[in-house]
Amino acid sequence: MSEQLKFIVEHLNKDPFKKNFNLITFDSLEPMQLLQILNDVLAEIDPKQTIDIREEMPDQTAKRMFTLLGMLKYKPPGNTSEPSSFRQGLVTGSKPVIHPILHWLLQRITELKKRAYLARFLVKLEVPAEFLQDDVITDTYHQYEELVEGFKTYHKECEQLKSSGFSTAEIRKDIGAMEEEKDQLIKRVERLKKRVESVSNHQRMLELARQLRVEKEREESLAQQKQEQKNQLFQAEQRLQRSQQQLKDLRQAAADAKPESLMKRLEEEIKFNSYMVSDKLPKELESKRRMVQYLQKVVSEPAMGQAELGELEDKIRENNIEINLLIEKRMMRNDPMDDKLSLFRQQASIIIRKKEAKAEELQEAREELAALDRELNQKNSQARDQDGDEVIRGDEFKRFVGKLRSKGTVFKKKRQEITELRAEYGVLQRTEEILKQRHEVGQQQLQSMEAQKGISGYSDTQEELERVSAIKSELDEMKGRSLDDMSEMVKKLNSTIVEKKSALAPIIKELRPLRQQCQELTQEYEEKKAQYDSCAAGLESNRSKLEQEVRALREEMAQEENRYHYINCMKEIIEMQMQRAAEEMKAYVSPDPQERRKTIREQYMKNIAEQESLGKKLREQQKTVRESHGPNMKQVKMWRDLEQLLECKRQCFLRAQSQASIGQVIQEGGEDRLVL
């Protein structure tokens, strides 16, 4: 805060304010005095704000300052960011409000002067919509907007000229040099005229030379117009080709756009999207969530040692044993009807997996199609930006169309397979439901018959006993076969191990020198790699230096090129001025009076004479006005008195007419008499 006060006091003591404050006197100022200082700073930025705030109402002062600060784009600090508190602090002259404003204004006073000057012309007047219904007001408002736009362009040109770097000394020097060259050219023209005057028909030859120059200029302009017309024709042909290609594509797309095909396509898309939303995506989302939860759980767990890992392996082994026992119990408790249904379950699971695979393939195909569409749009935009030929043409376009057709056929086949699988899946679901219903009906009938005979549960126990006995016999056979197989397998493994050892022994002997050679080559590779890295670093540094030199030379070349163009432009301007000076001199020394009248000097002399005669007439008119001012003012006063007298008589006459209902006024001998 002290730094802010120091900055404010330091700038208020400088020009143009010269307040002679110090920190104590500035901090002890009254609110009105502080507001007056703020108003003085705003008046320095915008001269319209020059006013004594004691002669203005506080609300008007706050509104005026608030409007100007908003125009200058001032943002209050955080503690006074609300408009109501900021306005209240501005009305009362609060230091926490005024000091930041002064600090902000004094920091950028030159920038704010320019902004205030521009705002005076660029802040548009708000005209209500009901007033804009009038044609005169609308035209005036359009003219006002055009003037604002014109001011913007002129201001930009003025700023560019100010920042262009031309100084008055250089311009004067250039003017002096141009005048010297002009004198030299005049002398040279005079010498050439003296030489030419001795030649016969020199006027005719000069006229022919002038006509030749005019025709050459015309020929150049016509050649330039011809080239422009050729370019426009080429661009129009390119646009026509692109438009024809787009029309052809649209017609091909519209050829297959029947209502039935569109409805079928939309139905397929709806089915696919509903399947993705209802089945596939929720499962994937749930699996991802479970994976995230599992990973979070793993991350939250502390680091495990070897003992804990051993315990986890023991638990896993016990769980596997328990799972195997449960599977055996389930096999013993297996139902023949369930065995029949297991086939349908397997088919249903296969169909579901196929459906998911096809859905994934379709999703990938759609993503690939979308990527190709984006790439095609990008290529088309690049082709439109370029004014050259199309990007794809001929054989490439045919190959591209062939690929699209092959992909289209593959997509149609896949879509047909998906529809067939969906139909088969529906049939299997319906078959499964029918078989379940039949099984339930058969079970109910069997249970009712067993209840009638008094042997309820007999079928279940018998089927279970048969199944257990069959399973036991199968297990015994499997155990016998598994023991024989295990013994044979052990013998085979031992024999294969011996064979492999004997076969690997010579290979291992050959491998030992190769390992040593590999180590040597690895060491040599590391050395070569270090040499390569150092050499690459040196070359990279040299390349960066060369790039910097090339960049500097390119910048220098650009500057020299700009200077060359500037000198050429100045040369053309000087040549045009020389040409104008030569024509002016020729017309001035011409014996023909008509040619002399066309010279700029004669026109200026004529304008000066006309202005002098006009000034003489205006001075005579001013003299007559001054002489007749007094009598005319007296005459005006007399006319005003006469007007008042006539108005008074009119009022009296009106009063007399209003009194006619009471009596009658008779005038006799210049007197009025009321008769009742």
Side-chain angles (χ1 to χ4, degrees), residues 279-293:
D279 295 340
K280 191 173 188 321
L281 293 178
K283 291 179 181 178
E284 291 181 357
L285 184 62
E286 187 64 28
S287 64
K288 296 292 183 185
R289 284 177 180 170
R290 286 198 298 268
M291 180 62 70
V292 169
Q293 291 177 359

Side-chain angles (χ1 to χ4, degrees), residues 356-372:
E356 290 177 354
K358 295 299 179 184
E360 290 178 357
E361 290 179 1
L362 181 59
Q363 185 68 21
E364 291 176 357
R366 285 192 173 183
E367 291 176 357
E368 186 178 358
L369 181 61
L372 291 172

Side-chain angles (χ1 to χ4, degrees), residues 278-331:
S278 60
D279 295 340
K280 191 173 188 321
L281 293 178
K283 291 179 181 178
E284 291 181 357
L285 184 62
E286 187 64 28
S287 64
K288 296 292 183 185
R289 284 177 180 170
R290 286 198 298 268
M291 180 62 70
V292 169
Q293 291 177 359
Y294 176 72
L295 293 174
Q296 288 178 352
K297 186 177 180 181
V298 170
V299 170
S300 61
E301 291 290 334
M304 293 184 179
Q306 192 65 32
E308 294 176 350
L309 290 173
E311 292 178 359
L312 289 175
E313 289 178 355
D314 295 337
K315 288 182 180 179
I316 291 168
R317 198 177 297 110
E318 292 175 359
N319 290 327
N320 289 330
I321 293 169
E322 188 175 355
I323 289 167
N324 292 327
L325 293 174
L326 291 172
I327 290 170
E328 291 177 358
K329 288 181 181 179
R330 182 182 175 186
M331 291 174 66

Side-chain angles (χ1 to χ4, degrees), residues 397-409:
F397 185 73
K398 289 180 181 179
R399 286 197 295 271
F400 182 69
V401 171
K403 287 181 181 178
L404 287 179
R405 286 177 180 173
S406 63
K407 288 185 179 180
T409 54

Side-chain angles (χ1 to χ4, degrees), residues 5 21-31 33-34 95 99:
L5 289 177
F21 285 137
N22 54 30
L23 291 175
I24 298 171
T25 55
F26 180 75
D27 192 52
S28 60
L29 289 175
E30 296 294 330
Q33 295 174 346
L34 199 59
K95 292 180 182 179
H99 287 175

Side-chain angles (χ1 to χ4, degrees), residues 149-350:
E149 296 296 328
F151 174 77
K152 288 180 181 178
T153 56
Y154 292 142
H155 181 71
K156 288 180 181 177
E157 291 177 359
C158 180
E159 291 294 327
Q160 289 176 359
L161 289 173
K162 286 180 180 179
S163 61
S164 61
F166 292 110
S167 62
T168 56
E170 292 178 356
I171 294 171
R172 287 175 182 172
K173 191 184 293 182
D174 293 338
I175 291 170
M178 291 166 64
E179 288 178 352
E180 291 178 359
E181 291 178 359
K182 179 182 175 183
D183 296 335
Q184 292 176 3
L185 289 171
I186 290 170
K187 293 178 182 178
R188 190 179 299 173
V189 168
E190 289 177 354
R191 287 197 299 269
L192 291 173
K193 281 184 178 180
K194 290 179 181 178
R195 290 180 185 176
V196 171
E197 286 176 356
S198 61
V199 180
S200 60
N201 297 328
H202 65 278
Q203 292 292 337
R204 178 65 178 168
M205 293 173 70
L206 289 173
E207 185 66 27
L208 291 173
R210 187 183 298 111
Q211 290 179 3
L212 179 61
R213 187 180 67 252
V214 171
E215 291 298 328
K216 282 185 177 180
E217 292 177 355
R218 185 181 175 189
E219 183 182 2
E220 291 177 357
S221 63
L222 289 174
Q224 187 176 2
Q225 290 177 4
K226 183 180 178 182
Q227 186 64 32
E228 290 177 357
Q229 292 293 330
K230 283 183 178 179
N231 294 332
Q232 291 177 3
L233 178 62
F234 180 72
Q235 293 175 4
E237 288 176 353
Q238 293 293 327
R239 287 197 297 271
L240 178 62
Q241 289 178 2
R242 288 196 292 269
S243 301
Q244 288 176 353
Q245 186 65 31
Q246 290 178 1
L247 180 61
K248 186 178 179 182
D249 295 339
L250 291 173
R251 284 177 178 174
Q252 288 178 358
D256 195 22
K258 295 181 180 179
E260 294 82 3
S261 62
L262 291 174
M263 289 296 295
K264 189 175 181 181
R265 194 182 306 162
L266 290 173
E267 287 177 357
E268 290 175 356
E269 289 182 358
I270 289 169
K271 288 179 181 178
F272 175 73
N273 292 329
S274 61
Y275 167 71
M276 293 291 291
V277 171
S278 60
D279 295 340
K280 191 173 188 321
L281 293 178
K283 291 179 181 178
E284 291 181 357
L285 184 62
E286 187 64 28
S287 64
K288 296 292 183 185
R289 284 177 180 170
R290 286 198 298 268
M291 180 62 70
V292 169
Q293 291 177 359
Y294 176 72
L295 293 174
Q296 288 178 352
K297 186 177 180 181
V298 170
V299 170
S300 61
E301 291 290 334
M304 293 184 179
Q306 192 65 32
E308 294 176 350
L309 290 173
E311 292 178 359
L312 289 175
E313 289 178 355
D314 295 337
K315 288 182 180 179
I316 291 168
R317 198 177 297 110
E318 292 175 359
N319 290 327
N320 289 330
I321 293 169
E322 188 175 355
I323 289 167
N324 292 327
L325 293 174
L326 291 172
I327 290 170
E328 291 177 358
K329 288 181 181 179
R330 182 182 175 186
M331 291 174 66
M332 293 173 66
R333 207 172 49 244
N334 199 0
D335 195 355
M337 188 60 69
D338 291 337
D339 294 334
K340 293 178 182 179
L341 292 175
S342 62
L343 178 62
F344 297 106
R345 289 195 187 98
Q346 290 177 0
Q347 292 180 355
S349 62
I350 291 168

Side-chain angles (χ1 to χ4, degrees), residues 552-570:
L553 291 173
R554 284 182 178 174
E555 292 176 357
E556 186 178 357
M557 183 187 70
Q559 292 176 1
E560 293 297 330
E561 188 176 355
N562 292 332
R563 188 164 171 269
Y564 167 73
H565 290 304
Y566 170 71
I567 291 170
N568 278 338
C569 293
M570 293 299 294

Side-chain angles (χ1 to χ4, degrees), residues 399-534:
R399 286 197 295 271
F400 182 69
V401 171
K403 287 181 181 178
L404 287 179
R405 286 177 180 173
S406 63
K407 288 185 179 180
T409 54
V410 171
F411 174 72
K412 289 179 181 178
K413 288 180 181 179
K414 299 297 182 183
R415 188 173 61 188
Q416 188 176 1
E417 289 179 3
I418 289 172
T419 54
E420 291 175 357
L421 291 172
R422 286 176 180 171
E424 188 176 357
Y425 177 68
V427 172
L428 291 174
Q429 279 185 340
R430 182 60 182 164
T431 306
E432 183 182 2
E433 291 176 359
I434 292 170
L435 292 174
K436 283 182 179 179
Q437 291 176 1
R438 289 181 181 178
H439 176 66
E440 290 176 357
V441 171
Q443 289 290 334
Q444 290 176 1
Q445 290 177 359
L446 181 60
Q447 289 176 2
S448 62
M449 289 177 68
E450 288 176 353
Q452 289 177 3
K453 299 295 183 180
I455 52 172
S456 58
Y458 175 76
S459 60
D460 295 335
T461 55
Q462 188 175 2
E463 288 177 358
E464 187 173 357
L465 289 172
E466 290 176 357
R467 187 168 56 255
V468 168
S469 61
I471 291 169
K472 186 176 181 301
S473 61
E474 289 177 1
L475 287 174
D476 293 336
E477 291 177 359
M478 288 173 65
K479 286 179 181 178
R481 288 196 300 270
S482 62
L483 289 173
D484 296 335
D485 294 337
M486 287 174 69
S487 61
E488 291 178 0
M489 191 180 294
V490 168
K491 291 178 181 179
K492 289 180 181 180
L493 287 173
N494 290 327
S495 62
T496 52
I497 288 169
V498 172
E499 291 175 358
K500 295 292 183 183
K501 282 182 179 180
S502 60
L504 287 173
I507 297 172
I508 292 170
K509 290 180 181 179
E510 293 176 359
L511 183 62
R512 288 173 184 172
L514 291 174
R515 284 180 179 174
Q516 186 176 1
Q517 188 178 0
C518 178
Q519 290 178 359
E520 294 175 356
L521 290 173
T522 304
Q523 187 176 0
E524 186 178 357
Y525 165 73
E526 295 293 336
E527 293 175 357
K528 297 293 183 181
K529 186 179 179 183
Q531 292 176 2
Y532 168 76
D533 292 337
S534 61

